[in-house]
Structure formats: structure tokens, C-alpha cells
Amino acid sequence: LGKSHLFKNALGFGSDLLHISRGNSAFQKGDHELALRELSQVKNSMMKTPDLILKLGQLNRATHNTDGALDELKELDQYKTDIVYIYLEQGNIYYSRDEKAKALENYEKFLVLAPNDEQVPLVKKHIEEMKPSATVKQLEITDQGAGIAESLNPLSPANKRPGKDPKTLIAEGDAY
């Protein structure tokens, strides 16, 4: 029983190496679907490293399976790893799903942990795309301010009360 168990483990280990080799080859050729199929076949927990799990997350996202990508990345929690690319990948997933708050949270963590990474310019571009521009924000504030000023102006035609002239009300000290 002991020898047969070791033999099965050795076969499984060899099979996992074959899947990893095929998956990495497909990944390098840009065949994300084949890479995902091959790397998903890795069963041995010793072979399923944080880097492999991260790659599975990336491949799931590349094949538009964002739920599968997030599931893979959640698996990394058990490793207590400091792979900063988890935050980049989660940010990319949430960005593709238009979940801005979650994307921003993950992108900001990535920027803090990897401020000099080559992905930083792209991350900053995504952040800028998700945040409203200062010009748009300023227009919104100006428009709101104009609306408030108009509503407070007793001489405004929008505030005309039936029955009395606004100038008379102001002269009489009546609250308008």
C-alpha cells in the first residue's frame, strides 16, 4: 500500500509538471484559453504555488471570466503572501467590471507597495479615468451654486409669490 501510494503521487507530480509546462508554453504564445485549461489541471498542492494561482487569476480575466479570476485570487489568502500583483490583478478585474470603488482601493494598495513598478503609469491612467476631472467637478459646483443663489434671490422670477410684489415684501420686512 505504501509503495503504490508513493507511485501514484509521483505520477501525479509528473502530470502536474506536464500541465505546467504546456500551460506556460501556451501562455507565452498568447493562447490564454489553452494555458488556462492546462494550468487548471494542476492538482498537487505543492505545485500550486502563489505565482501559479496569480497566473490562473490573470488567465481567467484574460478569458473574460472575472468571477473565476476573483475565486483564484481569494485562494491566495491562505498563503499569507506579499505578492503585490494581487492588488494589481484585483484592480484590473474590478476596473473591467466597472466597480470603481473596489478597483481604486486595490490600485491604491498596489501603488503604495510598488511605487516604481513598470505598471504604475497604466494604473495611474486607470485611476484618472475613474475619477471625475476637476473641470467637471468645478462645473457641477458652479451650477449648484448658481441654483442656490437663484433660489435665495427674492427678485428672481422663479420665486414670485402670488398676490404680493417681492419688492413690497422686502420693504415690509416679510420673510420671503
Side-chain angles (χ1 to χ4, degrees):
L1 184 67
K3 287 181 184 179
S4 99
H5 180 67
L6 288 175
F7 182 70
K8 284 181 183 177
N9 280 347
L11 285 176
F13 190 75
S15 174
D16 284 348
L17 286 175
L18 183 61
H19 288 299
I20 290 171
S21 175
R22 287 179 183 164
N24 285 333
S25 177
F27 182 78
Q28 289 172 352
K29 292 177 183 174
D31 189 345
H32 296 144
E33 290 180 13
L34 178 59
L36 181 60
R37 277 196 312 271
E38 287 294 334
L39 293 174
S40 294
Q41 296 298 314
V42 175
K43 302 294 182 208
N44 188 312
S45 63
M46 287 178 50
M47 299 298 291
K48 205 160 185 183
T49 63
D51 288 332
L52 176 61
I53 295 169
L54 179 62
K55 187 176 280 186
L56 286 167
Q58 292 169 331
L59 288 168
N60 272 291
R61 182 176 57 86
T63 58
H64 307 289
N65 180 5
T66 56
D67 289 333
L70 289 172
D71 288 343
E72 290 291 346
L73 296 175
K74 285 177 187 171
E75 224 181 288
L76 287 172
D77 289 343
Q78 70 180 329
Y79 289 96
K80 307 289 187 246
T81 182
D82 61 348
I83 298 177
V84 298
Y85 294 103
I86 295 168
Y87 301 114
L88 174 62
E89 190 57 28
Q90 286 176 332
N92 288 337
I93 292 165
Y94 289 123
Y95 177 81
S96 73
R97 293 167 68 152
D98 202 30
E99 294 181 38
K100 293 177 183 178
K102 290 180 180 178
L104 285 170
E105 178 184 336
N106 282 281
Y107 281 152
E108 288 169 358
K109 286 179 184 177
F110 175 76
L111 290 175
V112 167
L113 296 171
N116 299 319
D117 190 87
E118 65 185 28
Q119 296 293 320
V120 166
L122 180 62
V123 168
K124 287 183 176 180
K125 180 182 172 203
H126 285 183
I127 289 172
E128 287 304 312
E129 289 170 359
M130 289 185 288
K131 289 184 176 178
S133 70
T135 307
V136 171
K137 202 67 154 165
Q138 186 59 42
L139 286 173
E140 289 173 2
I141 291 169
T142 304
D143 289 345
Q144 287 175 355
I148 291 169
E150 184 71 15
S151 70
L152 294 175
N153 180 359
L155 300 177
S156 167
N159 291 325
K160 188 165 183 138
R161 283 190 183 168
K164 284 199 174 181
D165 179 40
K167 291 179 186 173
T168 308
L169 289 170
I170 293 171
E172 294 173 357
D174 191 0
Y176 194 75

